[in-house]
Structure formats: structure tokens, C-alpha cells
Amino acid sequence: MHNILVIDDQEDILKNIKAILEDELYNVDIALNSEESLNFINTKNYDLIILDVWLDNSELDGLQLLKKIRKDKLMPIIIISGHGN
């Protein structure tokens, strides 16, 4: 089974994406901020990360987190945003 990490600062979005992916039989972890996500990434291997470009109340925003992840890991990352700009 594939492992996916979903990172978003909105809990309702996390729960919706998690439910959809689990219905498709993926193992899904969720993180509300960059600190939680780095803890997951440092302890578990993921086949895919879904990352929100905006992360309020987080040490790093999505783009900063993307750069940090890319320094240490090579895995597919999909960037999402609920903003039109």
C-alpha cells in the first residue's frame, strides 16, 4: 500500500482529502503545519506528498517547505492552493 502525506493548514481540507484517498486504499497521514510534516517525513517514507502553498501558523510556508524537503528527499510532491492568486 502506498503512503501519502497531506499538508494543509485547514483541518477540513485535510479530512476531505484523507477520506478520498483512504477510499482508494492509500495510507494517509495529515499535518497542519511545517513542523508536523517534517516530523512525519523524518520518520516515515512517503510515495507522494500533497502540499498546500499557503501554511498559516507555520514556521515555513509551502514553498519554503518544498525547498527543505527537496534538499533531503526525492519524491513526488503536488502543490495545491485554494487561492486564486
Side-chain angles (χ1 to χ4, degrees):
M1 193 176 288
H2 295 286
N3 296 313
I4 299 175
L5 176 61
V6 183
I7 307 162
D8 197 298
D9 59 333
Q10 295 182 34
E11 196 167 347
D12 58 331
I13 290 174
L14 286 175
K15 288 180 181 178
N16 287 334
I17 294 173
K18 179 180 172 101
I20 291 166
L21 293 171
E22 286 179 338
D23 283 347
E24 298 298 323
L25 303 178
Y26 293 103
N27 286 326
V28 181
D29 291 320
I30 56 174
L32 284 165
N33 57 51
S34 62
E35 297 81 14
E36 281 183 25
S37 62
L38 290 172
N39 286 335
F40 276 117
I41 291 166
N42 290 328
T43 60
K44 189 172 180 179
N45 290 321
Y46 290 96
D47 300 295
L48 173 68
I49 293 177
I50 299 174
L51 173 61
D52 183 19
V53 72
W54 299 100
L55 292 177
D56 290 336
N57 301 317
S58 184
E59 186 177 316
L60 305 173
D61 68 24
L63 296 179
Q64 293 168 323
L65 183 57
L66 173 66
K67 289 178 186 176
K68 185 165 183 67
I69 294 168
R70 284 285 184 218
K71 285 183 182 179
D72 300 324
K73 306 278 184 177
L74 184 58
M75 69 187 77
I77 299 174
I78 297 173
I79 301 290
I80 61 172
S81 177
H83 301 276
N85 56 357

Coordinates of all heavy atoms in Angstrom, one line a residue:
M1 N 0.8 -1.2 0.0 CA 0.0 0.0 0.0 C 0.9 1.2 0.0 O 1.9 1.3 0.6 CB -0.9 0.0 1.2 CG -2.0 1.0 1.1 SD -3.2 1.0 2.5 CE -4.1 -0.6 2.2
H2 N 0.5 2.3 -0.7 CA 1.3 3.5 -0.9 C 1.0 4.4 0.3 O -0.1 4.6 0.8 CB 0.9 4.2 -2.2 CG 1.4 3.4 -3.4 ND1 2.7 3.3 -3.7 CD2 0.6 2.7 -4.3 CE1 2.8 2.5 -4.8 NE2 1.5 2.1 -5.1
N3 N 2.0 5.2 0.7 CA 1.9 6.1 1.8 C 1.9 7.5 1.2 O 2.8 7.9 0.4 CB 3.1 6.0 2.7 CG 3.1 4.7 3.4 OD1 2.1 4.2 3.9 ND2 4.3 4.0 3.5
I4 N 0.9 8.3 1.7 CA 0.8 9.7 1.2 C 0.7 10.6 2.4 O 0.0 10.3 3.4 CB -0.5 9.9 0.4 CG1 -0.4 9.0 -0.9 CG2 -0.7 11.3 0.0 CD1 -1.7 9.0 -1.8
L5 N 1.4 11.7 2.4 CA 1.3 12.8 3.4 C 0.6 14.0 2.8 O 1.0 14.5 1.7 CB 2.7 13.2 3.9 CG 2.8 14.3 4.9 CD1 2.1 14.0 6.2 CD2 4.3 14.7 5.2
V6 N -0.4 14.5 3.5 CA -1.1 15.6 3.0 C -0.9 16.7 4.1 O -1.1 16.6 5.3 CB -2.6 15.4 2.9 CG1 -3.4 16.6 2.4 CG2 -2.9 14.2 2.0
I7 N -0.4 17.9 3.6 CA 0.0 19.0 4.4 C -0.9 20.2 4.0 O -0.8 20.7 2.9 CB 1.5 19.4 4.3 CG1 2.3 18.1 4.5 CG2 1.8 20.5 5.2 CD1 3.7 18.3 3.9
D8 N -1.7 20.7 5.0 CA -2.6 21.9 4.8 C -2.9 22.5 6.1 O -3.0 21.8 7.1 CB -3.8 21.4 4.0 CG -4.6 22.6 3.4 OD1 -5.0 23.5 4.1 OD2 -4.7 22.6 2.2
D9 N -3.1 23.8 6.1 CA -3.4 24.4 7.4 C -4.9 24.4 7.7 O -5.2 24.9 8.8 CB -2.8 25.9 7.4 CG -3.4 26.7 6.3 OD1 -3.8 26.2 5.3 OD2 -3.4 28.0 6.4
Q10 N -5.7 23.9 6.8 CA -7.1 23.9 7.1 C -7.5 22.4 7.4 O -7.5 21.6 6.5 CB -7.9 24.4 5.9 CG -7.6 25.9 5.7 CD -8.4 26.5 4.6 OE1 -9.5 26.1 4.3 NE2 -7.8 27.4 3.9
E11 N -8.0 22.2 8.6 CA -8.3 20.8 9.0 C -9.4 20.2 8.2 O -9.3 19.0 7.9 CB -8.7 20.8 10.5 CG -8.7 19.5 11.1 CD -8.7 19.5 12.6 OE1 -8.6 20.6 13.2 OE2 -9.0 18.4 13.2
D12 N -10.4 20.9 7.7 CA -11.5 20.4 6.9 C -11.0 19.9 5.6 O -11.4 18.8 5.1 CB -12.7 21.3 6.8 CG -12.3 22.7 6.2 OD1 -11.1 23.1 6.3 OD2 -13.1 23.3 5.5
I13 N -10.1 20.6 5.0 CA -9.5 20.2 3.7 C -8.7 18.9 3.9 O -8.8 17.9 3.1 CB -8.6 21.3 3.1 CG1 -9.5 22.4 2.6 CG2 -7.8 20.8 1.9 CD1 -8.8 23.6 2.1
L14 N -7.9 18.8 5.0 CA -7.1 17.6 5.3 C -8.0 16.4 5.4 O -7.7 15.4 4.9 CB -6.3 17.8 6.6 CG -5.1 18.7 6.6 CD1 -4.5 18.9 8.0 CD2 -4.1 18.2 5.6
K15 N -9.1 16.6 6.2 CA -10.0 15.4 6.4 C -10.7 15.0 5.1 O -10.8 13.8 4.9 CB -11.1 15.8 7.5 CG -10.5 15.9 8.8 CD -11.6 16.3 9.8 CE -11.0 16.4 11.2 NZ -12.0 16.8 12.2
N16 N -11.0 15.9 4.2 CA -11.7 15.6 3.0 C -10.7 14.8 2.1 O -11.1 13.8 1.5 CB -12.2 16.8 2.3 CG -13.5 17.4 2.9 OD1 -14.2 16.6 3.6 ND2 -13.7 18.6 2.8
I17 N -9.5 15.4 1.9 CA -8.5 14.7 1.0 C -8.2 13.3 1.6 O -8.1 12.3 0.9 CB -7.3 15.6 0.9 CG1 -7.6 16.9 0.1 CG2 -6.2 14.8 0.1 CD1 -6.5 17.9 0.0
K18 N -8.0 13.2 2.9 CA -7.7 12.0 3.6 C -8.8 10.9 3.3 O -8.5 9.8 2.9 CB -7.5 12.2 5.1 CG -7.1 10.9 5.8 CD -7.0 11.2 7.3 CE -6.8 9.9 8.1 NZ -5.5 9.5 8.4
A19 N -10.0 11.3 3.4 CA -11.1 10.4 3.2 C -11.2 9.9 1.8 O -11.4 8.7 1.5 CB -12.4 11.1 3.6
I20 N -11.0 10.8 0.8 CA -11.0 10.4 -0.6 C -9.9 9.4 -0.9 O -10.1 8.4 -1.5 CB -10.9 11.6 -1.5 CG1 -12.1 12.5 -1.4 CG2 -10.6 11.3 -2.9 CD1 -12.0 13.9 -2.0
L21 N -8.7 9.7 -0.4 CA -7.5 8.8 -0.7 C -7.6 7.5 0.1 O -7.3 6.4 -0.5 CB -6.2 9.5 -0.3 CG -5.9 10.7 -1.1 CD1 -4.7 11.5 -0.6 CD2 -5.6 10.3 -2.6
E22 N -8.2 7.5 1.3 CA -8.3 6.2 2.0 C -9.4 5.4 1.3 O -9.3 4.1 1.4 CB -8.7 6.5 3.5 CG -7.5 7.0 4.3 CD -7.8 7.3 5.7 OE1 -8.9 7.5 6.1 OE2 -6.8 7.3 6.5
D23 N -10.4 6.0 0.7 CA -11.4 5.2 -0.1 C -10.7 4.5 -1.2 O -11.2 3.5 -1.7 CB -12.5 6.1 -0.6 CG -13.5 6.5 0.5 OD1 -13.5 5.9 1.6 OD2 -14.3 7.5 0.2
E24 N -9.6 5.0 -1.7 CA -8.9 4.4 -2.8 C -7.8 3.5 -2.2 O -6.9 3.1 -3.0 CB -8.3 5.5 -3.7 CG -9.3 6.3 -4.4 CD -10.2 5.6 -5.3 OE1 -9.7 4.6 -6.0 OE2 -11.4 5.9 -5.4
L25 N -7.8 3.2 -0.9 CA -6.9 2.3 -0.2 C -5.5 2.8 -0.1 O -4.5 1.9 0.0 CB -6.9 0.9 -0.9 CG -8.4 0.3 -1.0 CD1 -8.3 -1.0 -1.7 CD2 -9.0 0.2 0.4
Y26 N -5.3 4.1 0.0 CA -3.9 4.6 0.4 C -3.8 4.8 1.9 O -4.8 5.1 2.5 CB -3.7 6.0 -0.3 CG -3.6 5.9 -1.8 CD1 -4.7 6.3 -2.6 CD2 -2.5 5.5 -2.5 CE1 -4.6 6.2 -4.0 CE2 -2.4 5.4 -3.8 CZ -3.5 5.8 -4.6 OH -3.4 5.7 -6.0
N27 N -2.6 4.7 2.4 CA -2.3 5.0 3.8 C -2.0 6.5 3.8 O -1.2 7.0 3.0 CB -1.0 4.3 4.3 CG -1.3 2.9 4.6 OD1 -2.4 2.5 5.0 ND2 -0.3 2.1 4.3
V28 N -2.8 7.3 4.6 CA -2.7 8.7 4.6 C -2.4 9.3 5.9 O -3.1 9.0 6.9 CB -4.0 9.4 4.0 CG1 -3.9 10.9 4.0 CG2 -4.3 8.8 2.7
D29 N -1.3 10.1 6.0 CA -1.1 10.9 7.2 C -1.4 12.4 6.9 O -1.2 12.8 5.7 CB 0.4 10.8 7.6 CG 0.7 9.4 8.1 OD1 -0.1 8.8 8.9 OD2 1.8 8.9 7.8
I30 N -1.7 13.1 7.9 CA -2.0 14.5 7.7 C -1.3 15.4 8.6 O -1.0 15.0 9.8 CB -3.5 14.8 7.8 CG1 -4.1 14.4 9.1 CG2 -4.3 14.2 6.6 CD1 -5.6 14.8 9.4
A31 N -0.9 16.6 8.2 CA -0.1 17.5 9.0 C -0.7 18.9 8.8 O -1.0 19.3 7.6 CB 1.4 17.5 8.7
L32 N -0.8 19.7 9.9 CA -1.4 21.0 9.8 C -0.3 22.1 9.6 O -0.7 23.3 9.3 CB -2.2 21.3 11.1 CG -3.5 20.7 11.2 CD1 -4.0 20.8 12.7 CD2 -4.5 21.4 10.3
N33 N 0.9 21.8 9.7 CA 2.0 22.8 9.6 C 3.3 22.2 9.2 O 3.4 20.9 9.2 CB 2.1 23.6 10.9 CG 2.4 22.7 12.1 OD1 3.3 21.9 12.1 ND2 1.6 22.9 13.2
S34 N 4.3 23.0 9.0 CA 5.6 22.5 8.5 C 6.3 21.7 9.6 O 7.0 20.7 9.3 CB 6.5 23.7 8.1 OG 6.8 24.6 9.2
E35 N 6.1 22.0 10.9 CA 6.8 21.3 11.9 C 6.3 19.8 12.0 O 7.0 18.9 12.1 CB 6.6 22.0 13.3 CG 7.2 23.3 13.4 CD 6.3 24.5 12.8 OE1 5.1 24.2 12.5 OE2 6.9 25.5 12.5
E36 N 4.9 19.7 12.0 CA 4.3 18.3 12.0 C 4.8 17.5 10.8 O 5.1 16.4 10.8 CB 2.8 18.4 12.0 CG 2.2 18.7 13.3 CD 0.6 18.7 13.2 OE1 0.1 18.0 12.3 OE2 0.0 19.4 14.0
S37 N 4.8 18.2 9.6 CA 5.1 17.5 8.4 C 6.5 17.0 8.4 O 6.8 15.9 7.9 CB 4.8 18.4 7.2 OG 5.6 19.5 7.2
L38 N 7.5 17.8 8.9 CA 8.9 17.4 8.9 C 9.1 16.2 9.9 O 9.9 15.4 9.6 CB 9.8 18.6 9.3 CG 9.9 19.7 8.2 CD1 10.6 20.9 8.7 CD2 10.6 19.1 6.9
N39 N 8.3 16.2 11.0 CA 8.4 15.1 11.9 C 7.9 13.8 11.2 O 8.6 12.7 11.3 CB 7.5 15.3 13.1 CG 8.1 16.3 14.1 OD1 9.3 16.5 14.1 ND2 7.3 16.9 14.9
F40 N 6.9 13.9 10.4 CA 6.4 12.7 9.6 C 7.5 12.3 8.6 O 7.8 11.1 8.5 CB 5.1 13.0 8.9 CG 3.9 12.8 9.7 CD1 3.0 13.9 10.0 CD2 3.5 11.6 10.2 CE1 1.9 13.7 10.7 CE2 2.3 11.4 10.9 CZ 1.5 12.5 11.2
I41 N 8.0 13.3 7.8 CA 8.9 13.0 6.8 C 10.2 12.4 7.3 O 10.8 11.5 6.6 CB 9.2 14.3 6.0 CG1 7.9 14.7 5.2 CG2 10.4 14.1 5.0 CD1 7.9 16.1 4.6
N42 N 10.6 12.8 8.5 CA 11.9 12.3 9.1 C 11.7 10.9 9.7 O 12.7 10.2 10.0 CB 12.4 13.2 10.1 CG 12.9 14.5 9.5 OD1 13.4 14.5 8.3 ND2 12.8 15.6 10.2
T43 N 10.5 10.4 9.8 CA 10.3 9.1 10.5 C 9.6 8.1 9.6 O 9.5 6.9 9.9 CB 9.4 9.3 11.8 OG1 8.1 9.8 11.4 CG2 10.1 10.1 12.8
K44 N 9.1 8.5 8.4 CA 8.4 7.6 7.5 C 8.7 7.9 6.1 O 8.9 9.1 5.7 CB 6.9 7.7 7.8 CG 6.0 6.7 7.2 CD 4.6 6.9 7.7 CE 3.6 5.9 7.1 NZ 2.3 6.0 7.7
N45 N 8.7 6.9 5.2 CA 8.9 7.1 3.8 C 7.5 7.3 3.1 O 6.6 6.5 3.4 CB 9.6 5.9 3.2 CG 11.0 5.9 3.6 OD1 11.7 6.9 3.7 ND2 11.5 4.7 3.9
Y46 N 7.4 8.3 2.3 CA 6.2 8.6 1.5 C 6.4 8.4 0.0 O 7.5 8.7 -0.5 CB 5.7 10.0 1.9 CG 5.2 10.1 3.3 CD1 6.1 10.6 4.3 CD2 3.9 9.7 3.6 CE1 5.6 10.6 5.6 CE2 3.5 9.7 4.9 CZ 4.3 10.2 5.9 OH 3.9 10.2 7.2
D47 N 5.3 7.9 -0.6 CA 5.3 7.8 -2.1 C 4.9 9.1 -2.7 O 5.2 9.3 -3.9 CB 4.4 6.6 -2.5 CG 4.9 5.3 -1.9 OD1 6.0 4.9 -2.2 OD2 4.1 4.8 -1.0
L48 N 4.2 9.9 -2.0 CA 3.7 11.2 -2.5 C 3.4 12.1 -1.3 O 3.0 11.7 -0.3 CB 2.4 10.9 -3.3 CG 1.6 12.2 -3.8 CD1 2.4 12.9 -4.8 CD2 0.2 11.8 -4.3
I49 N 3.7 13.4 -1.6 CA 3.3 14.5 -0.6 C 2.3 15.4 -1.4 O 2.6 15.8 -2.5 CB 4.5 15.2 -0.1 CG1 5.3 14.3 0.8 CG2 4.0 16.5 0.7 CD1 6.6 14.9 1.3
I50 N 1.2 15.8 -0.8 CA 0.3 16.8 -1.3 C 0.5 18.0 -0.3 O 0.2 17.9 0.9 CB -1.1 16.3 -1.3 CG1 -1.2 15.1 -2.3 CG2 -2.0 17.4 -1.8 CD1 -2.6 14.4 -2.3
L51 N 0.9 19.1 -0.9 CA 1.4 20.3 -0.1 C 0.6 21.5 -0.4 O 0.7 22.0 -1.6 CB 2.9 20.4 -0.2 CG 3.6 21.7 0.4 CD1 3.4 21.7 1.9 CD2 5.0 21.7 0.0
D52 N 0.0 22.2 0.5 CA -0.6 23.5 0.3 C 0.5 24.5 0.2 O 1.4 24.6 1.0 CB -1.5 23.8 1.5 CG -2.3 25.1 1.3 OD1 -2.4 25.6 0.2 OD2 -2.8 25.6 2.4
V53 N 0.3 25.5 -0.7 CA 1.3 26.5 -0.9 C 1.3 27.5 0.2 O 2.3 28.1 0.6 CB 1.1 27.2 -2.3 CG1 -0.1 28.1 -2.3 CG2 2.4 28.0 -2.7
W54 N 0.1 27.7 0.8 CA 0.0 28.6 2.0 C -0.2 27.8 3.2 O -1.0 26.9 3.3 CB -1.3 29.5 1.8 CG -1.3 30.4 0.7 CD1 -2.0 30.2 -0.5 CD2 -0.6 31.6 0.5 NE1 -1.7 31.2 -1.4 CE2 -0.9 32.1 -0.8 CE3 0.2 32.4 1.3 CZ2 -0.4 33.3 -1.3 CZ3 0.7 33.6 0.8 CH2 0.4 34.0 -0.5
L55 N 0.7 28.1 4.2 CA 0.5 27.4 5.5 C 0.5 28.4 6.6 O 1.6 28.8 7.1 CB 1.7 26.4 5.7 CG 1.8 25.2 4.8 CD1 3.0 24.4 5.1 CD2 0.5 24.3 5.0
D56 N -0.6 28.9 7.0 CA -0.7 29.8 8.1 C -0.3 29.2 9.4 O -0.5 28.0 9.6 CB -2.2 30.4 8.2 CG -2.5 31.3 7.1 OD1 -1.6 31.9 6.4 OD2 -3.7 31.4 6.8
N57 N 0.1 30.0 10.4 CA 0.5 29.5 11.7 C 1.6 28.4 11.6 O 1.5 27.4 12.3 CB -0.7 29.0 12.5 CG -1.7 30.1 12.7 OD1 -1.3 31.3 13.0 ND2 -2.9 29.8 12.5
S58 N 2.5 28.5 10.7 CA 3.5 27.5 10.4 C 4.9 28.2 10.3 O 5.0 29.4 9.8 CB 3.2 26.8 9.1 OG 4.1 25.8 8.9
E59 N 5.9 27.6 10.8 CA 7.3 28.1 10.7 C 7.7 28.4 9.2 O 8.2 29.4 8.9 CB 8.3 27.2 11.3 CG 9.7 27.8 11.4 CD 10.6 26.8 12.1 OE1 10.2 26.3 13.2 OE2 11.7 26.6 11.6
L60 N 7.3 27.5 8.3 CA 7.6 27.6 6.9 C 6.3 27.6 6.1 O 5.4 26.9 6.4 CB 8.5 26.4 6.4 CG 9.8 26.1 7.2 CD1 10.4 24.8 6.7 CD2 10.8 27.3 7.0
D61 N 6.3 28.4 5.0 CA 5.2 28.3 4.1 C 5.4 27.1 3.2 O 6.4 26.5 3.2 CB 4.9 29.6 3.4 CG 6.0 30.0 2.3 OD1 6.7 29.1 1.9 OD2 6.1 31.2 2.0
G62 N 4.5 26.8 2.3 CA 4.6 25.7 1.4 C 5.8 25.7 0.5 O 6.4 24.6 0.3
L63 N 6.1 26.8 0.0 CA 7.3 26.9 -0.9 C 8.6 26.7 -0.2 O 9.5 26.0 -0.7 CB 7.3 28.2 -1.7 CG 6.1 28.3 -2.7 CD1 6.2 29.7 -3.4 CD2 6.0 27.2 -3.7
Q64 N 8.7 27.3 1.0 CA 9.9 27.1 1.8 C 10.0 25.6 2.2 O 11.1 25.0 2.2 CB 9.8 28.0 3.1 CG 9.9 29.4 2.8 CD 9.6 30.3 4.0 OE1 8.7 30.0 4.7 NE2 10.3 31.4 4.1
L65 N 8.9 25.0 2.6 CA 8.9 23.6 3.0 C 9.3 22.7 1.8 O 10.0 21.8 2.0 CB 7.5 23.2 3.5 CG 7.4 21.8 4.0 CD1 8.4 21.5 5.1 CD2 5.9 21.6 4.6
L66 N 8.8 23.0 0.6 CA 9.1 22.3 -0.6 C 10.6 22.3 -0.8 O 11.2 21.2 -1.0 CB 8.4 22.9 -1.8 CG 8.8 22.4 -3.2 CD1 8.4 20.9 -3.3 CD2 8.2 23.2 -4.3
K67 N 11.3 23.5 -0.7 CA 12.7 23.5 -0.8 C 13.4 22.7 0.2 O 14.4 22.0 -0.1 CB 13.2 25.0 -0.7 CG 12.8 25.8 -1.9 CD 13.2 27.3 -1.7 CE 12.7 28.1 -2.9 NZ 13.0 29.5 -2.7
K68 N 13.0 22.7 1.5 CA 13.6 22.0 2.5 C 13.4 20.5 2.3 O 14.4 19.7 2.5 CB 13.0 22.3 3.9 CG 13.7 21.7 5.1 CD 13.3 22.3 6.4 CE 14.0 21.7 7.5 NZ 15.4 22.0 7.5
I69 N 12.3 20.0 1.9 CA 12.1 18.6 1.6 C 13.0 18.2 0.4 O 13.6 17.1 0.5 CB 10.6 18.3 1.3 CG1 9.7 18.6 2.5 CG2 10.4 16.9 0.8 CD1 8.2 18.6 2.1
R70 N 13.0 19.0 -0.6 CA 13.8 18.6 -1.8 C 15.3 18.5 -1.5 O 16.0 17.8 -2.2 CB 13.6 19.7 -2.9 CG 12.3 19.5 -3.6 CD 12.4 18.3 -4.5 NE 11.2 18.2 -5.3 CZ 10.6 17.1 -5.6 NH1 11.1 16.0 -5.2 NH2 9.5 17.0 -6.2
K71 N 15.8 19.2 -0.5 CA 17.2 19.1 -0.1 C 17.6 17.7 0.4 O 18.7 17.2 0.2 CB 17.6 20.1 1.0 CG 17.7 21.5 0.5 CD 18.1 22.4 1.6 CE 18.2 23.8 1.2 NZ 18.6 24.7 2.2
D72 N 16.6 17.0 1.1 CA 16.9 15.7 1.7 C 16.2 14.5 1.1 O 16.7 13.4 1.2 CB 16.4 15.8 3.2 CG 17.1 16.8 4.0 OD1 18.3 17.1 3.7 OD2 16.4 17.5 4.8
K73 N 15.1 14.7 0.4 CA 14.3 13.6 -0.2 C 14.0 13.9 -1.6 O 13.8 15.0 -2.1 CB 13.0 13.5 0.6 CG 13.1 13.4 2.1 CD 13.4 12.0 2.5 CE 13.4 11.9 4.0 NZ 13.6 10.6 4.5
L74 N 13.9 12.8 -2.3 CA 13.4 12.8 -3.7 C 12.1 12.0 -3.8 O 12.2 10.8 -3.8 CB 14.5 12.3 -4.7 CG 14.2 12.4 -6.1 CD1 13.9 13.8 -6.6 CD2 15.3 11.8 -7.0
M75 N 11.0 12.7 -3.9 CA 9.7 12.1 -4.0 C 8.8 13.0 -4.7 O 9.0 14.2 -4.7 CB 9.2 11.7 -2.7 CG 8.8 12.8 -1.8 SD 8.3 12.4 -0.1 CE 9.9 12.2 0.6
P76 N 7.7 12.5 -5.3 CA 6.7 13.4 -6.0 C 6.0 14.3 -5.0 O 5.6 13.8 -3.9 CB 5.7 12.4 -6.6 CG 6.4 11.1 -6.7 CD 7.4 11.1 -5.5
I77 N 5.9 15.6 -5.3 CA 5.2 16.5 -4.5 C 4.2 17.3 -5.3 O 4.6 17.8 -6.3 CB 6.1 17.5 -3.7 CG1 7.1 16.7 -2.9 CG2 5.3 18.5 -2.9 CD1 8.2 17.5 -2.2
I78 N 2.9 17.3 -5.0 CA 1.9 18.0 -5.6 C 1.6 19.2 -4.8 O 1.3 19.1 -3.6 CB 0.6 17.2 -5.9 CG1 0.9 16.0 -6.7 CG2 -0.5 18.0 -6.4 CD1 -0.2 15.0 -6.9
I79 N 1.7 20.4 -5.4 CA 1.4 21.7 -4.7 C -0.1 22.0 -5.0 O -0.5 22.0 -6.2 CB 2.3 22.8 -5.2 CG1 3.8 22.5 -5.0 CG2 1.9 24.1 -4.5 CD1 4.2 22.5 -3.6
I80 N -0.8 22.3 -3.9 CA -2.2 22.7 -4.1 C -2.5 24.1 -3.5 O -1.7 24.6 -2.6 CB -3.2 21.7 -3.4 CG1 -3.0 21.6 -1.9 CG2 -3.1 20.4 -4.2 CD1 -4.0 20.7 -1.2
S81 N -3.5 24.8 -3.9 CA -3.9 26.1 -3.3 C -5.4 26.3 -3.5 O -5.9 26.0 -4.5 CB -3.1 27.2 -4.0 OG -3.5 28.4 -3.4
G82 N -6.0 26.9 -2.5 CA -7.3 27.3 -2.5 C -7.5 28.7 -2.9 O -8.6 29.3 -3.0
H83 N -6.4 29.4 -3.2 CA -6.4 30.8 -3.5 C -6.2 31.0 -5.0 O -5.5 30.2 -5.7 CB -5.2 31.5 -2.8 CG -5.3 31.4 -1.3 ND1 -6.0 32.2 -0.6 CD2 -4.7 30.5 -0.5 CE1 -5.9 31.9 0.7 NE2 -5.1 30.8 0.8
G84 N -6.8 32.0 -5.6 CA -6.8 32.3 -7.0 C -5.6 33.0 -7.5 O -5.3 33.1 -8.7
N85 N -4.8 33.5 -6.5 CA -3.6 34.3 -7.0 C -2.3 33.5 -6.9 O -2.2 32.5 -6.4 CB -3.5 35.6 -6.1 CG -3.4 35.3 -4.6 OD1 -3.5 34.1 -4.2 ND2 -3.2 36.3 -3.9

